[in-house]
Amino acid sequence: MEMPYEEIEACIEGEVFVERVPVEPGLTNTICGNATEDAEPGEGCVYYDIRTYLKLPGPDDAHHLKILLNVEAQKDDTPGYDLTERALFYGCRMVSSQLDVEFTNRTNDPVKYGNIKKVYSIWICTETAEKRANRIVRYKTKEQIVFSQNGQCSDHQRYDIMQVIMVYISKNHTGHDSENDLICMLTDLFNEDIGGAEKIGMLENRHGLKMS
């Protein structure tokens, strides 16, 4: 779905939590449709960098698609462990924390898991080595029919409820002329060799972003 920046911004309906929503499981509260997990007693606490939700246009004016969104800024994409595994953990936590917030598993609920909202966890790695730089990689669930006695099945099960997107920006800022608009914009945004006033001008004039 292609949308202009203004329409995308208007879809951010939930309060934007910056480093206020813990990742680990524990006591659960409800804040604007998001689940907030406190760490277990005696353990450290890790927070999502940014967490909110979007309401995208649905098939008609009466229906909207709600999506939970997490955005993480990661300077080092090789922190001593597989960063993708951490990103998948964050996404899984955002799915499981919807229990009794977005969906239930109670026997008297006819929909139950059908109310799980789709989750996107987007990781922006700003200091990536050149061999991995200027790439966008997406991880999502894919159906694979291992065996079917009756050939094709017409059922369309809803299983793609989580996606993790890894965005790798070159630490040498080599993506400034990339054919991908996002890579190009983020390269300019995180280039510490560009002064503030010049950077604002580039984001507004080159990339069409209205700066406040």
Side-chain angles (χ1 to χ4, degrees):
M1 179 187 299
E2 295 289 340
M3 298 174 64
Y5 293 130
E6 293 80 6
E7 291 185 17
I8 295 173
E9 185 176 2
C11 290
I12 304 175
E13 184 165 294
E15 181 178 352
V16 180
F17 294 101
V18 179
E19 296 187 342
R20 287 170 51 197
V21 180
V23 176
E24 288 87 349
L27 301 176
T28 301
N29 301 310
T30 302
I31 300 179
C32 294
N34 289 312
T36 303
E37 289 74 39
D38 298 321
E40 299 292 351
E43 295 185 359
C45 195
V46 178
Y47 292 85
Y48 296 101
D49 282 357
I50 298 174
R51 181 166 166 174
T52 187
Y53 70 85
L54 313 177
K55 276 199 171 181
L56 300 180
D60 53 62
D61 293 339
H63 296 86
H64 293 81
L65 303 176
K66 184 176 181 179
I67 292 177
L68 304 187
L69 176 66
N70 162 233
V71 180
E72 298 288 324
Q74 180 74 21
K75 186 173 183 180
D76 184 7
D77 70 321
T78 55
Y81 54 85
D82 191 334
L83 189 62
T84 304
E85 291 182 335
R86 179 182 170 191
L88 290 168
F89 169 73
Y90 276 43
C92 290
R93 283 296 305 132
M94 289 180 69
V95 173
S96 65
S97 65
Q98 294 180 49
L99 179 62
D100 292 327
V101 179
E102 299 289 351
F103 75 98
T104 78
N105 57 4
R106 294 190 293 269
T107 56
N108 62 348
D109 182 353
V111 180
K112 296 186 179 66
Y113 300 95
N115 279 324
I116 293 176
K117 301 301 184 288
K118 192 168 184 175
V119 166
Y120 284 87
S121 185
I122 303 173
W123 292 63
I124 301 174
C125 304
T126 61
E127 296 286 332
T128 306
E130 209 58 41
K131 64 181 180 180
R132 296 184 300 276
N134 305 321
R135 293 192 305 152
I136 301 175
V137 184
R138 178 171 61 179
Y139 301 88
K140 64 178 183 177
T141 306
K142 182 179 179 180
E143 181 184 49
Q144 181 181 11
I145 300 176
V146 178
F147 174 78
S148 176
Q149 182 72 37
N150 301 315
Q152 295 294 327
C153 178
S154 60
D155 293 340
H156 294 285
Q157 301 292 332
R158 179 176 175 262
Y159 56 84
D160 185 18
I161 60 173
M162 182 184 77
Q163 291 195 23
V164 167
I165 296 97
M166 310 294 292
V167 183
Y168 297 98
I169 305 301
S170 167
K171 65 180 180 181
N172 297 323
H173 319 302
T174 56
H176 65 278
D177 57 354
S178 171
E179 295 180 1
N180 182 274
D181 292 340
L182 180 62
I183 293 291
C184 185
M185 184 274 288
L186 291 176
T187 298
D188 289 341
L189 177 64
F190 291 107
N191 188 345
E192 65 272 13
D193 296 328
I194 301 175
E198 181 183 359
K199 185 173 293 188
I200 289 174
M202 293 178 68
L203 293 173
E204 289 184 331
N205 300 323
R206 184 181 186 190
H207 303 292
L209 295 174
K210 294 180 179 180
M211 306 299 293
S212 62

